Every structure is written in structure tokens, then in C-alpha cells.
Amino acid sequence: MTISDCLRRVALITLTVLAMASAGAMATTSAAPSDPMLIPAPVSMQRLPGSFLVDPATQIVVLDPQARAAAEQFAAFVARTHRLQLKLREAEGANKGAIHFRIDPKAIGTAPESYTLEIDPQRAIVSARDPRGLLYGAVTLWQLLPPGDARSLSLPALRIDDTPRFAWRGLMLDSARHFQTVDQIKQMLDAMALHKLNTFHWHLTDDQGWRIEIKQYPKLTEVGGCRIPAGDGGLDAAGKPKPYCGYYTQEQIRDVVRYAAALHITIVPEIDVPGHATAAITAYPQLGVLDTPLVVSNEWGVNTNLFNVEESTFVFLENVLGEVVALFPGAYVHVGGDEAVKDQWKASARVQERIRELGVKDEAGMQSYLIKRLEKYLVAKHRRLIGWDEILEGGLPEEATVMSWRGIEGGIEAANQGHDVVMSPSSELYFDYLQTDSANEPPGRPATIPLKQVYAFEPVPAALAADKRSHILGLQANVWTEHMRTFARVQHAVFPRIAALAETAWSPAQKKNWDGFVARLPAQLQRYQAMGIGYAQTPFEVRSTLVEDRKRNRAEVSLSNSLGYPDIRYTTDGSEPSAGSTAYKGPFSLALPAELRAAVFVDGKPLTQAATRKLDAASLLSRSDEELAMCTGALMLRLEDDGPADGERAIFNADIFNPCWEWKAADLDGIASIEVRAGRMPYYFQLAHDEPARKFKPAASANGELEIRAGCDGAALATVPLPAAPDADGFITLKAPLEATTGAQNLCIFFTGDTRPAMWVLDRVTLHPK
Ligand code: ACM
């Protein structure tokens, strides 16, 4: 057999079994009573004989008024997830048959977030030195309840002594790129508390929107709170501009702060300077460097607009921070500092004059001057400044805390300089990055950061000297929302990865155990369901890899699950797999046509709704963009189409530096023609200094061409002129003959012509036999 014969016979393709995402489809798994499924894992847990029954008659007894809030939270969780209305009363002593919450003066030596939980057949007692510890005890107690709304729930007898590893257990949400309602923010805060997280970093200002009411500067929200989305999404049915707006009033912010405080969550507000400032400068042009007016940006990436460095702008920023500290009582205020490319400052004679006037060395020194000035202001208000790791450049303010996002190096450098650090590296803790390579992932940024990678992250670098390690306050996951038009997408990004973050943030390093975490995860998914949290199903999907044999109309099928759950059951006739269906033992040969359905089973129940995939002669001849490789893969994004303004939109995998797709080893024997379906999107990316990396082949005709080559540097197999615009549905379908070509070829598919102001994106490619 020749190599090309081999390639033809064994065209390896990886395709995703389409999982029907449905949060309601999770089935019940019963936790073994000897193995409580707690996330995060507690410091110490000792099982004791027997169990304590909770039923509608069980009372919650508060022994101290300070214990009341945690007891009420517990009752609220139980009412919500188990439909059990437990009564609260204040009483003396540890009465039998009740759940007790008490502030324990003997626990005075413990940390305020520590708690003890004792359950025996007579009673359950949550005790802590401080209401914070009591809340975490309440969460653990709630997690111990078996799922479901049975009338009688059995708690295992045990003793837990628990305390967090890190003081900063954070989640950042970007409310600037896409806006979340107050109710949605509260849902996120609830979920944070249930993961024992305590710091909510609220990204409130950016190029694409200013989201916090500032009384002295109403245009920040009136003007800066609205943008016209790019492309069709920015037009109403009549074709008129349709702005995307949103901001939080100060009253709403006070409400959110109160809500968070009840959950012992501190909010760290972020006002980003000197970059990410387009919305503010649009509202008040005198704050900017350029004379030309701006618009609130509808493009993602790195905008080059910076605040200017006039004294009046510094006063503006101080006035804004003045209102911010009046709203947020927490110790920290975040001032951004990230991605402030200095082109405008370099080009501005006035900024250069200010650099000389203020006696700073250069533009980095100018940024450092600004950050130091803001720190002085914040310190006078008894607050601490925190910023992204770029605030190291040009010199850190004396007391600044650094949030390390460009890897952990900035964090190491800051800790070595004696500064506190929060680790938040984009490589491990950016939850807007995709979590699997499933075709069911919503839009997002690769690289892929799967659950295991989040779990594996260690915030205290081995490279850091022992005497510097206490500077690592903790860790934080960040959710940037460029690609999250809906709250469902935010939830998909956050859950279940937040569970992995929580275990690193809370549990002792030596207690962490990936296999144990994966085993406890199904119970956590049940809690998510009970709380109405729309977690990502993609990590739990069954994936299929095919070795296709078109000539024999068969495929060899391999099934897997990204988390390695061992029990995969499948059917091939389209029927619903059950615990009695064929167990997957290894690759199997399948005659086509067939309808493959598969799911992971835990304790005899499917972990998600079964994934379905139809395989037939036609499906072997067709690939969606998700099933193709990127030719160079410089910056692949999973992009949402720009329209329609409301409702479902197509999603495309595209490399925005070089939109080009590759079908590796496509079997062209007997193929007569090729068909390409493509969409068109505005090129809404600001690339700043990366602009030269944007590649495209010049167009030979007015609107450019679709080109298909045998290998990207190989011969052209087809060239088809492109129309000026897509059809009414936003797509085009182009066909071309492929008569002279045989054998396995790496089909390279791209569109010539400038990708600005709009680019063609591949949706599907199909081969048609002779
Ligand atoms: C960042 O991701 N620009 C902090």
C-alpha cells in the first residue's frame, strides 16, 4: 500500500458528538455516605458513626444574635434547593434534634473564616469565632445534604475543622464589554459564597462602556454607557442605529455592596487608567490626547486611546475615585493600568511637555507618576491601590498590590520587591478562554483552559523565596465578556471551573487531588442544578474520533470524555442510551448510516443528556469550521456573527490574523466538486502593535476570491470570485469543480482581499462526488 493509499484509507478526523445542552437533564447520583462530596475539600474531616436526620420539624437554633445571619443563609439555601422550610429560633444550650449556629469564644485563636462542624445523631453544630466562619460552615452543612427534595434528609455524623488557605479568593467579572443586571450580579455573588470565595472584582469601565454612575460626571454613563454594536447587531429592524446601553446607579451599587457584604464578599471596583478609556473620553473629550472626537468603541482588542496627563484629568480621576470609595467600603480599589500602549503619549507634544514638566523619565514613568498620584489619593481615603502587573513598569507605588495576569512573572517580581500579589495568570485563570474544543462551546478565546488546568494552578511559585511567599494573597479567575452577550454564556464560562479555582483557593495544597475532585464533581453539578446555575456541559460530553473508510462506508469510532469518566454507554440506532446500553471498551467499527448516541454514566445515571451524531456517506464528505484546522493558528477566536441584533447567531472558528482553514488529508478520489458556505463579519478588532501580524492575500478581482489549494503553499485547486456582499441570510454558498484532483490532499481554504473592514469566514465545506 502506498502512503497516499494509507492516507486515503485512514483519513483521521476528530469530530464532536453533538451534546444537547440542557441543564435540566442531569440525573441524580447518590453520594456514598462514607464519602461526603465537598467542594472545596475541608482541611480535616473525621467520620463518626451514625447520622442526623433533617426533616420539616428540624429547628435551626441560634445561640447568639451574631450567628443569626449564617443560620438564615443556611435556611435560605435549603429552602431553595431542597424545598424544606426550616424554622429558626433563638435558644440557650445545644438542644437535641436541632441544627445549631453559634459564635464560639473558645475559637478565638482561629482565623475569622475558620469554622467547626460537628454532627452526631442528636444534633448538628456549626461554630466559629466570627460570622464569616459561620457562613462557610453553613455552606459545608448545606453541601452535606443529599440532593433532592425528600421529606427526610440524612447528614453523616462527622467533625470538620476547616480554614481557608488564601485570604484572596476572587472572581472578576467584566460588566463593561457586556452588561449584567443587578439580579445576575447577585446570582454570581450567591454562587461565589457557595464556593467559599470572598472577593468580587468588578470591572466597571472600559473602551466599550462606562458602567458606574458618577454624580459629578453624568455624561460618563449617559454617553459612555452606550455603544452602537458593530455590523448588523447595531441596527434595528428599520435599519436605524440600535445602541447597546447599561450602567449601575449608585443606589443599585449600594444594594449590591450590601448583598455581597451579607455573603462576606468584598467588592473591589475597577476604574481602568490610563488605557481602556475610550468610553470616558467620548463622554468628556477634554480627558483625551487627540483633538478628534471619539465614539464608544464597538471593537475588541487593544484600543490606543489614553487619558491625557493634564492636572485637570488627574483631578477628574480623583473625583471619580472619591465617589467610588464612598460606594465601596472594601480596602482595595483597582486602577487597571493594563494594555496602555503609549503611542498617543509618544506622539503628543503636549504630553511630552508634561513629561518634562513633571520630571519623569518617559511614558512608562508618566504612567507610574499617575498611578502613584492615585495611590496617594486612595491612601488618604484609607484605601489600598491594586493594579494589573503593568503598574510595575516605571516603578510601583509604595503600598501597591499587583494582580499578575501576564503569567506569574509580574507577581514574582512584585513579591520580591515586597509587594502583595494576587495571582491571576491569563494562561490558567482566564475563564473567557474556551474550556474544551467541543463544537458546542459558545464563543470565546483560545487557548483552551480546561478544568484540569485551572485545578493544577499553584499560586505560590516554587521560584519565590520562602520569606516572600506570604506576599501571595491568593488567586482570582477573570471573566472578560467580549464574547458573552448573555448571562448564560457567563455561567457557562464560570461553572464548573469556579469549583476548581475554589479548591485551590481554600483547601490545603496537600489535600488537592484531581481524581478526588472529578469524583466529587457530579454532586456539585446537582447543586448547580438545584440552584438554577447554567453550568457548562461540554466538559462532560462524550467526544468521538473517527477513522473513516469512505470506500467501505464504515467508520472506526473512538469515544472519550475530557475528564476521563470511565463509564461511557452508547447506542448506534438513535435510541437513548441507558445504564444497560453497550459499555464502551475501545474503538469499534461502525457500518454507515448510523446514529450514534453516547453519554457518561455515573452511578448508573447519565451525567449529561446523551450526545447525538448522525453518520452517513454525506457526513463523511462535509466539515464544519470547528472540524477544520487553522492554517497557521496565530490567534484563533471562536467568534459570534454580528447579526441578527437579537436571537441566535452563527459561530465561527477563525484566526483573525490569518483567516484560513485546512481540511487535512481530505480524500479527493471520485470527487467532482467542492462547495463552501461562508459568512461575513465586520473586522471589529483593534490590534494596536500587532496590526502588522494581520495577514491576507491580495485580491485579484474587485471583491476578491475564494481560493482552495492543495496545501497552503501548493497549487490552486479552485478559484471562485466573491460577490460584493452576502445573501440576505448573511451567507454565501460557492461551488467549484475539482475534476483533476485525486488522493489525500490537505485542502487549504481562504478568501483573498483585505480583512478590514469586513472578512469572510468559513462555515462549512462539502465535497460532491462525481
Ligand atoms: C487584561 O487582561 N487586560 C488584564
Side-chain angles (χ1 to χ4, degrees):
M1 209 185 315
T2 66
I3 288 178
S4 75
D5 277 335
C6 273
L7 281 173
R8 218 175 306 142
R9 290 276 306 274
V10 190
L12 185 72
I13 54 170
T14 302
L15 296 172
T16 306
V17 172
L18 295 176
M20 285 173 274
S22 160
M26 263 279 308
T28 318
T29 61
S30 55
S34 57
D35 188 16
M37 301 281 181
L38 300 176
I39 291 180
V43 171
S44 102
M45 176 163 59
Q46 188 191 351
R47 282 300 316 275
L48 299 167
S51 56
F52 174 76
L53 282 185
V54 178
D55 61 30
T58 306
Q59 292 193 332
I60 302 177
V61 177
V62 228
L63 305 175
D64 185 309
Q66 270 195 294
R68 192 169 186 99
E72 283 174 352
Q73 286 286 5
F74 174 72
F77 296 151
V78 177
R80 192 158 155 193
T81 57
H82 292 74
R83 294 173 214 268
L84 205 55
Q85 308 291 339
L86 300 179
K87 294 218 170 46
L88 228 85
R89 71 185 170 91
E90 286 185 20
E92 297 283 312
N95 313 44
K96 281 187 184 173
I99 298 169
H100 301 262
F101 282 83
R102 71 167 191 226
I103 296 290
D104 182 4
K106 291 199 299 297
I108 206 72
T110 61
E113 293 181 311
S114 309
Y115 69 92
T116 297
L117 172 58
E118 295 158 282
I119 304 174
D120 65 31
Q122 308 297 328
R123 58 184 75 71
I125 305 173
V126 185
S127 56
R129 169 194 137 187
D130 187 279
R132 281 171 276 183
L134 278 189
L135 175 73
Y136 298 129
V139 169
T140 300
L141 189 62
W142 170 76
Q143 287 200 354
L144 287 169
L145 292 169
D149 49 8
R151 301 292 291 164
S152 172
L153 300 164
S154 169
L155 287 171
L158 49 68
R159 180 188 170 101
I160 288 176
D161 292 284
D162 207 5
T163 193
R165 180 177 175 206
F166 290 109
W168 188 298
R169 305 185 300 278
L171 181 75
M172 187 219 76
L173 181 60
D174 169 8
S175 296
R177 274 52 175 271
H178 282 104
F179 183 75
Q180 303 84 30
T181 65
V182 166
D183 275 354
Q184 291 165 343
I185 299 290
K186 288 180 177 175
Q187 282 179 53
M188 200 49 85
L189 292 168
D190 285 343
M192 284 179 65
L194 294 176
H195 291 85
K196 301 190 171 100
L197 301 186
N198 65 357
T199 307
F200 178 61
H201 170 176
W202 204 358
H203 185 77
L204 288 163
T205 71
D206 217 301
D207 297 302
Q208 298 82 3
W210 183 285
R211 307 274 176 235
I212 171 172
E213 179 188 23
I214 301 293
K215 300 271 188 200
Q216 291 167 83
Y217 304 107
K219 284 195 207 165
L220 285 173
T221 44
E222 282 167 23
V223 175
C226 288
R227 67 171 179 264
I228 308 293
D232 293 343
L235 301 173
D236 68 13
K240 297 227 175 60
K242 183 178 181 214
Y244 177 93
C245 301
Y247 71 92
Y248 306 101
T249 66
Q250 294 204 349
E251 195 42 52
Q252 287 175 319
I253 286 176
R254 279 190 208 96
D255 176 35
V256 171
V257 167
R258 270 193 303 272
Y259 193 90
L263 295 166
H264 302 296
I265 293 171
T266 304
I267 304 188
V268 178
E270 182 183 350
I271 305 295
D272 207 341
V273 306
H276 292 279
T278 307
I281 300 169
T282 306
Y284 293 99
Q286 64 270 31
L287 300 171
V289 179
L290 306 178
D291 290 333
T292 44
L294 302 179
V295 291
V296 179
S297 180
N298 60 10
E299 301 189 309
W300 315 133
V302 178
N303 278 267
T304 52
N305 298 312
L306 300 190
F307 285 115
N308 66 34
V309 290
E310 299 300 327
E311 175 61 22
S312 54
T313 298
F314 297 163
V315 170
F316 161 85
L317 292 172
E318 288 170 349
N319 289 341
V320 167
L321 291 183
E323 293 197 31
V324 167
V325 297
L327 288 169
F328 295 95
Y332 287 90
V333 174
H334 202 299
V335 296
D338 57 320
E339 298 179 316
V341 291
K342 305 294 189 302
D343 300 13
Q344 290 189 354
W345 282 4
K346 283 196 175 115
S348 159
R350 176 62 191 149
V351 172
Q352 294 303 315
E353 190 183 328
R354 285 287 282 161
I355 285 177
R356 286 192 293 279
E357 207 173 286
L358 295 171
V360 297
K361 186 162 161 267
D362 53 14
E363 293 77 24
M366 188 70 241
Q367 172 158 330
S368 171
Y369 177 93
L370 168 63
I371 301 287
K372 284 177 178 160
R373 173 150 173 174
L374 297 182
E375 176 178 69
K376 205 160 153 209
Y377 180 85
L378 289 172
V379 167
K381 300 275 180 193
H382 311 291
R383 300 308 165 91
R384 307 191 65 174
L385 177 145
I386 182 166
W388 300 111
D389 57 52
E390 287 94 330
I391 66 169
L392 279 154
E393 294 160 14
L396 276 178
E398 230 167 279
E399 299 291 334
T401 299
V402 169
M403 192 168 269
S404 191
W405 74 280
R406 296 176 300 175
I408 56 171
E409 290 71 23
I412 293 173
E413 189 184 335
N416 282 332
Q417 289 181 26
H419 289 262
D420 285 346
V421 168
V422 176
M423 287 297 191
S424 191
S426 60
S427 48
E428 337 279 333
L429 299 182
Y430 269 32
F431 284 0
D432 53 318
Y433 284 32
L434 300 173
Q435 51 196 308
T436 71
D437 57 359
S438 165
N440 294 318
E441 285 295 341
R445 295 197 279 178
T448 307
I449 302 183
L451 194 59
K452 191 170 186 176
Q453 196 169 328
V454 176
Y455 192 83
F457 176 64
E458 169 49 48
V460 182
L464 200 58
D467 65 330
K468 298 290 190 296
R469 291 184 178 176
S470 62
H471 284 301
I472 308 296
L473 300 181
L475 70 164
Q476 177 176 295
N478 296 333
V479 186
W480 301 102
T481 58
E482 287 94 330
H483 305 287
M484 296 179 203
R485 206 160 44 94
T486 63
F487 190 61
R489 289 197 183 150
V490 174
Q491 292 195 327
H492 178 104
V494 170
F495 305 96
R497 286 187 290 192
I498 193 175
L501 176 89
E503 191 138 304
T504 305
W506 182 279
S507 307
Q510 68 275 14
K511 278 263 161 180
K512 281 183 63 183
N513 175 318
W514 169 247
D515 291 340
F517 176 77
V518 170
R520 282 175 280 133
L521 207 46
Q524 190 76 355
L525 301 188
Q526 289 181 321
R527 294 176 195 124
Y528 292 162
Q529 283 175 54
M531 292 294 290
I533 291 171
Y535 59 91
Q537 307 258 322
T538 44
F540 309 99
E541 281 176 3
V542 172
R543 314 291 310 282
S544 65
T545 305
L546 302 186
V547 180
E548 62 179 13
D549 184 342
R550 229 176 69 208
K551 312 265 177 322
R552 292 171 56 224
N553 206 24
R554 296 188 76 86
E556 190 183 81
V557 181
S558 304
L559 301 180
S560 63
N561 165 256
S562 67
L563 298 177
Y565 286 104
D567 191 7
I568 296 175
R569 306 271 162 169
Y570 69 94
T571 62
T572 58
D573 60 358
S575 62
E576 185 73 27
S578 67
S581 299
T582 311
Y584 178 69
K585 300 270 188 246
F588 58 93
S589 177
L590 187 60
L592 308 187
E595 186 172 339
L596 183 63
R597 304 199 70 193
V600 164
F601 279 70
V602 173
D603 291 341
K605 303 280 171 34
L607 198 51
T608 58
Q609 206 165 0
T612 301
R613 180 162 168 210
K614 288 191 171 134
L615 292 167
D616 56 23
S619 70
L620 298 187
L621 289 167
S622 191
R623 297 288 183 271
S624 71
D625 52 316
E626 289 93 1
E627 296 160 358
L628 300 174
M630 301 291 116
C631 299
T632 44
L635 184 59
M636 201 280 274
L637 293 177
R638 190 152 165 72
L639 285 171
E640 183 178 61
D641 208 351
D642 56 310
D646 300 305
E648 284 299 302
R649 297 180 183 176
I651 302 171
F652 305 100
N653 282 0
D655 175 357
I656 64 165
F657 282 137
N658 179 20
C660 174
W661 295 259
E662 197 173 12
W663 181 343
K664 290 190 192 293
D667 178 356
L668 297 186
D669 275 358
I671 296 301
S673 62
I674 188 166
E675 179 182 309
V676 170
R677 180 174 145 91
R680 191 155 171 82
M681 304 186 53
Y683 197 90
Y684 50 65
F685 311 100
Q686 287 288 326
L687 303 178
H689 293 172
D690 287 328
E691 183 64 26
R694 188 172 64 90
K695 302 279 185 259
F696 56 88
K697 293 227 165 48
S701 56
N703 303 313
E705 300 78 29
L706 160 70
E707 252 190 63
I708 297 155
R709 290 174 180 261
C712 291
D713 299 321
L717 299 179
T719 303
V720 188
L722 289 160
D727 300 337
D729 66 354
F731 288 85
I732 50 168
T733 302
L734 300 173
K735 284 191 186 143
L738 278 183
E739 271 161 53
T741 316
T742 57
Q745 304 284 352
N746 289 336
L747 291 182
C748 181
I749 305 156
F750 59 92
F751 305 89
T752 65
D754 198 334
T755 50
R756 287 192 194 278
M759 65 173 171
W760 292 101
V761 278
L762 190 139
D763 180 54
R764 179 163 284 284
V765 54
T766 304
L767 301 174
H768 292 292
K770 289 187 178 119

